[in-house]
């Protein structure tokens, strides 16, 4: 595995691979890797000849007062994990490589899907994600790019920009990897105290409660949302920011589940903001 810190070096490695006819799979991350990230590499490894991972904590997607400065980092550990998982090229640019003037004049504005649900609480977040991903897609020129369903709205935003701008990369969605108690794996779980870590499993328990209710035929979103809220708020250390039943493509809230839907939630454990979601379908009652 080669670690590359400049766009020029990465491009020249990719040109070599492409001249050999190799297909390229791309896994964009912010690092501090866990098994969720590595499952994306595993999927890419199965389908592509060359696997590129990026590690870049993108300042554009953090709002004021969010955790940009303290976002966890451990490059050595990430390199070991990426190597073992089968990454061929690890792209780890500094901020000045990605944004030489400190800022970018050009941003990818996503539209309505960036403003609803998560977007309401993190204005500018999805424009930051869309901008960095467009730039990374342009640098890497991958055949396929791998994203986790853990960040379901991000996945929908990426699909939207790829379709709207014809970015020519296939977006592959991978299942959420969870800890044994159900908590979705996240680099931010490192912030949790042991007490918060225990309580945080209530998020998934809440989502599962909604899935069970839907399976029994409950289609009203407010009922499903209340069920999640009840479980989450019974943990004194957790504060629910939102829980919404949404359309999986547009992320607009739906008043009733009449087809595929997602229940998405954001929860604070102290200062740490955790998000999770689960797919439901009242028709079959099974997680999608
Ligand atoms: P991040 O480093 O948090 O920006 O995540 C990089 C990629 O890994 C995104 O596509 C995430 O959706 C995905 N990811 C993060 N956590 C998980 C998880 N628990 N299971 C599967 N994919 C994940």
């Amino acid at each position: 595995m080669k670690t590359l810190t400049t766009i020029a070096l990465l491009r020249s490695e990719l040109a070599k691979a492409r001249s050999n006819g190799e297909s390229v799979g791309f896994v964009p991350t912010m690092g501090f890797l866990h098994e969720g990230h590595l499952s994306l590499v595993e999927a890419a490894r199965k389908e592509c000849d060359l696997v590129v991972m990026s590690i870049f904590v993108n300042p554009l997607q953090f709002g004021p007062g969010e955790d940009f400065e303290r976002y966890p980092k451990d490059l050595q550990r990430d390199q070991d994990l990426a190597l073992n998982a089968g990454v061929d090229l690890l792209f780890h640019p500094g901020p000045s490589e990605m944004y030489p003037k400190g800022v970018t004049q050009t941003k990818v504005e996503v539209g309505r899907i960036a403003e609803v649900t998560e977007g309401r609480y993190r204005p500018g977040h999805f424009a930051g994600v869309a901008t960095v991903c467009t730039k990374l897609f342009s640098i890497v020129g991958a055949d396929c790019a791998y994203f986790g369903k853990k960040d379901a709205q991000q996945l929908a935003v990426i699909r939207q920009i790829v379709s709207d701008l014809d970015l020519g990369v296939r977006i592959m969605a991978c299942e959420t990897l969870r800890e044994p108690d159900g908590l979705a794996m996240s680099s931010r779980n490192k912030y949790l105290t042991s007490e918060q870590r225990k309580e945080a499993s209530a998020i998934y328990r809440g989502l599962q409660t909604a899935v069970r209710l839907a399976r029994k035929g409950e289609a009203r979103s407010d009922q499903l949302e209340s069920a999640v809220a009840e479980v989450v708020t019974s943990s004194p250390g957790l504060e629910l920011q939102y829980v919404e039943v949404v359309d999986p493509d547009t992320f607009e809230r739906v008043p009733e589940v009449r087809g595929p839907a997602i229940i998405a939630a954001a929860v604070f454990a102290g200062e740490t903001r955790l998000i999770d979601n689960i797919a439901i379908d009242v028709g079959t009652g099974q997680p999608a």
Side-chain angles (χ1 to χ4, degrees), residues 106-259:
T106 307
K107 288 198 186 147
V108 177
E109 210 185 287
V110 190
R112 173 87 185 152
I113 190 174
E115 284 159 23
V116 290
T117 315
E118 265 299 275
R120 253 193 303 140
Y121 298 91
R122 300 190 72 189
H125 170 67
F126 289 120
V129 170
T131 302
V132 79
C133 285
T134 303
K135 190 170 165 101
L136 289 167
F137 292 161
S138 149
I139 295 167
V140 177
D143 297 274
C144 300
Y146 295 79
F147 288 85
K149 292 186 185 177
K150 151 84 166 46
D151 301 286
Q153 193 169 357
Q154 168 173 281
L155 175 63
V157 164
I158 298 295
R159 287 195 196 283
Q160 175 88 51
I161 61 166
V162 167
S163 160
D164 286 347
L165 302 177
D166 284 307
L167 297 180
V169 55
R170 277 179 68 199
I171 301 303
M172 315 299 278
C174 300
E175 292 305 322
T176 301
L177 259 74
R178 299 182 178 282
E179 302 290 352
D181 66 357
L183 177 65
M185 290 182 183
S186 165
S187 307
R188 289 189 167 102
N189 292 350
K190 180 189 157 58
Y191 298 144
L192 302 174
T193 63
S194 59
E195 190 53 36
Q196 289 169 338
R197 171 63 195 80
K198 272 186 232 150
E199 293 202 341
S201 65
I203 304 168
Y204 185 58
R205 279 204 312 281
L207 295 173
Q208 280 181 310
T209 304
V211 168
R212 277 196 300 274
L213 272 178
R215 214 174 264 169
K216 284 188 203 149
E218 179 59 78
R220 292 167 296 176
S221 296
D222 56 352
Q223 298 298 309
L224 298 170
E225 290 159 351
S226 301
V228 177
E230 198 179 311
V231 178
V232 170
T233 55
S234 68
S235 283
L238 300 182
E239 191 193 319
L240 183 68
Q241 188 177 40
Y242 70 78
V243 54
E244 276 182 27
V245 179
V246 297
D247 177 288
D249 297 323
T250 64
F251 272 77
E252 298 283 355
R253 184 177 180 277
V254 292
E256 268 195 2
V257 183
R258 284 281 160 252

